[in-house]
Structure formats: structure tokens, C-alpha cells
Amino acid sequence: MKKTLLTCTLLAACATTANAQSSVTVFGAVDLNLRYQSNDGAPNKKLMGTDGLNSSRLGFRGTEDLGDGLSAGFWLEAPMTPNDGNSIGLTFRRRSTVSLVSKRWGELRLGRDFTPTFWTRASYDPFGFNGVGLAGNVDPNGLAQPTYVRSSNSVGYFLPGGLGGMYGQIMVAPSEGAPNTKYYSGRLGYAGGPVDVSVAVSRQSLNGGANRFESWVVGGSYDFGFARLQGAYNHDRNDTGAGTTFRHWLLGAVVPVGVAEIHASYNKMDAGSGNGAKMAAVGGVYNLSKRTALYGTYSQLSNEGTFKQSVDFSYPAAISGGTPVTPGGKSRGLEFGIRHFF
């Protein structure tokens, strides 16, 4: 009788633990394409590329219900290069966080995560900051900063839902001994009906705090039903040496056509003194299902002055190796691929 009682007690404890764990999910995306690149001053390139529509990734996430509207969760997400079996090695540098979430008070998140300024930029890029059409192709400075896209050792807070469409986050990260990684940022936005608008600001310390890299971004979209118009403006300033200010305008649209979509954008970067870059991109997506899609994108980038940006930007740069462009020259890219979510 005692053994039976002990067994029942252990089973009940295990059941309680199992019920508290709401979910553990393995997820990801595999995105491969055939790509053609033509850069002034360099041989043409024909290659198999990745991340043309969405970033290839492998992730694990889970939540645990702690009761009274409180839950705990984790998120581990690693980039992949499926064209070569992930030769760069599997690390969770896309995201590695642990969270406490309250339905009333919001979310406290610790670890390596996307920055508020990057989220604002990517949200209004018709190409989702991927492929030969991504908005970052015209950026000579911002994406080179170690905390522009993601920040390690960060403490983040997210507003709860149910605030009449308002959303927002703040992020603080100490340098932890690494150069140029002390970071502060915040984002505030509103999404309701067809409208989505947001603004974000950030500051990153440079050279041990002697200099700063500051950014602010404002963007918005409006869904007319037959098309969703998107636009953004970001202003970056690096006060190292003489200091340089970068101004980036983005205007784009996503047009649904049955199970397909047309994506288009125009980007302009102005760094002053006759330096800058312009890029136009157009693409199509055909959704075979909710998880699988075929896509194609063409883009052309024109540099001005000393700029030598290319449409083959890849993050991290080690994936593509980068292709040089003659200062003031042009860069063109064409890719056709398939993306599958799991």
C-alpha cells in the first residue's frame, strides 16, 4: 500500500511538472537560391546563395506557465548556411534569451537579442532585410557596428499587450569588456487596423566611450487591402574623427495577387560631400503553402562619389566573402529560390 501511494505521488508530481511546461518547439527555415551578381570592376559571379526571402535558421523555444498570468520562456536561434551544410558552425548568435512574461506588466528579457532600431528598420522593408533587395545594401557604416542588428549581454523590457495598439521596448547592454558594445536603445509604436507606425533611438559607445554611434529611425506602413505601402527614414551619426552623418530613405510596397505577392522598394543613402548610394529592387513570391514559397528578386544599386556598396551584402560577411565594386560603380543582383519553414 505504501509503495502504491509513493508511486501515485511521484506520478502526480511528474504530471504537475508536465502541465506547467506549456510548450517546447523546434522551428526554423531553409532558404536557398541561385544567384547572379554583376559588380563594376569585378568578374561576374554565379553561385548558390542563402537567405533570399527569409533567413535560414534552426531554433528551440519553450514556455512554462507559472500561474497568475506569469510565464517563463527561453529562445535559442542559430543561423544556418544550408548550401554547404553550415560550414560556419552552429552557434545561437541570432538569438539566445530567457524571459519572464506577465500579461499585466510585460516581458523582461535577458541575453542576445535584436535591437529596437533594427526591428523598426526591418519591419518596413518589403524584402524583410533579406536577399539582393534588402535595405541594408546601401549602408556603408551602420551594419558594420557590432550592436546595430543584435546586442549581446542585454537587458530588455517589452510593454504588455492590450494597450490600445501601443507597443514598445527598451534595451540596455554593458560592454562586458568587448570594444564598442555598450548600448542603449528604445522603441515605441502603434499598430491598429491598417496602420503601423514606430520610432526608435539608440546610442553605442565607441573607442572606450570617447566617441558615439547614434541612430534614430521612424517608419510606418498602411494596408489599403490591394497593397501595403511602407516607408522608413533612419539617421545615423558616427562622431569618430571628423564625424559622418548618414541619411537613409526607404519607400516600398507589397502587393498581394492571389497566393502570390509582388515586392518593390527604393532606397537612397546620403552621406554628404557627393557620397551615397541608390538601389531599386523588385521581386515576386509564390506561396505553394503556408510554409513553402518560390521567389525571385532583381536589384540594381548605383554608387556615388567614393561609395562602393554591393547587392551581395550578407550577414555575417563571411558567408559571401563580399565582392568589391569600383568606387562610384554599379552593382546588380538576380536570384531565384525556394524557402521552407518548419
Side-chain angles (χ1 to χ4, degrees):
M1 182 68 180
K2 291 182 178 179
K3 290 182 178 180
T4 302
L5 181 60
L6 177 60
T7 301
C8 291
T9 302
L10 291 174
L11 289 174
C14 291
T16 301
T17 302
N19 289 334
Q21 184 67 43
S22 300
S23 66
V24 175
T25 304
V26 179
F27 67 96
V30 179
D31 185 317
L32 285 170
N33 59 65
L34 299 178
R35 182 179 297 175
Y36 172 81
Q37 298 164 188
S38 173
N39 290 349
D40 288 354
N44 297 338
K45 293 175 64 175
K46 300 175 182 178
L47 68 157
M48 179 173 286
T50 66
D51 305 355
L53 182 60
N54 294 100
S55 299
S56 297
R57 72 198 79 165
L58 172 65
F60 307 87
R61 60 177 179 252
T63 60
E64 181 184 16
D65 185 359
L66 301 177
D68 196 26
L70 184 66
S71 63
F74 75 93
W75 190 302
L76 299 173
E77 186 174 325
M80 298 192 301
T81 53
N83 60 314
D84 60 11
N86 208 44
S87 65
I88 62 173
L90 189 69
T91 63
F92 296 110
R93 65 175 177 272
R94 280 186 56 84
R95 177 175 166 182
S96 55
T97 61
V98 64
S99 303
L100 280 178
V101 183
S102 168
K103 293 182 179 179
R104 177 179 296 181
W105 303 110
E107 177 183 354
L108 177 66
R109 185 182 298 178
L110 308 179
R112 178 171 172 82
D113 199 7
F114 290 98
T115 65
T117 44
F118 174 76
W119 268 129
T120 300
R121 289 197 61 185
S123 296
Y124 308 114
D125 181 355
F127 293 94
F129 232 76
N130 278 285
V132 297
L134 70 83
N137 284 334
V138 299
D139 287 348
N141 189 52
L143 294 172
Q145 302 301 324
T147 59
Y148 201 86
V149 178
R150 299 174 181 85
S151 182
S152 298
N153 309 305
S154 69
V155 178
Y157 168 74
F158 294 76
L159 291 175
L163 298 179
M166 298 294 295
Y167 61 88
Q169 68 177 118
I170 57 174
M171 175 183 279
V172 177
S175 63
E176 296 282 345
N180 304 335
T181 55
K182 190 174 183 180
Y183 181 80
Y184 308 90
S185 183
R187 180 187 186 205
L188 185 64
Y190 168 82
V195 178
D196 186 345
V197 294
S198 63
V199 60
V201 296
S202 68
R203 173 183 292 181
Q204 173 192 319
S205 296
L206 300 175
N207 303 320
N211 301 102
R212 300 178 299 189
F213 181 83
E214 298 176 326
S215 299
W216 62 270
V217 189
V218 59
S221 66
Y222 191 93
D223 194 340
F224 291 93
F226 64 87
R228 183 172 72 251
L229 296 183
Q230 299 171 290
Y233 171 78
N234 65 282
H235 185 280
D236 301 333
R237 175 167 172 76
N238 186 338
D239 70 358
T240 303
T244 305
T245 299
F246 301 89
R247 302 175 179 87
H248 183 169
W249 293 265
L250 162 66
L251 181 62
V254 177
V255 181
V257 184
V259 297
E261 296 175 340
I262 298 173
H263 297 230
S265 70
Y266 177 79
N267 289 267
K268 177 179 172 61
M269 167 63 70
D270 180 8
S273 302
N275 297 313
K278 302 174 183 177
M279 184 185 71
V282 62
V285 180
Y286 187 84
N287 295 295
L288 299 172
S289 69
K290 291 183 178 179
R291 297 190 297 165
T292 305
L294 303 176
Y295 66 89
T297 305
Y298 173 77
S299 66
Q300 179 169 308
L301 187 153
S302 299
N303 289 287
E304 300 173 346
T306 60
F307 266 39
K308 47 184 179 180
Q309 298 302 113
S310 170
V311 300
D312 71 344
F313 172 84
S314 185
Y315 185 81
I319 295 175
S320 69
T323 301
V325 181
T326 300
K330 293 183 178 181
S331 175
R332 306 164 189 85
L334 176 66
E335 60 189 4
F336 295 97
I338 181 171
R339 186 250 24 238
H340 178 74
F341 289 131
F342 61 89

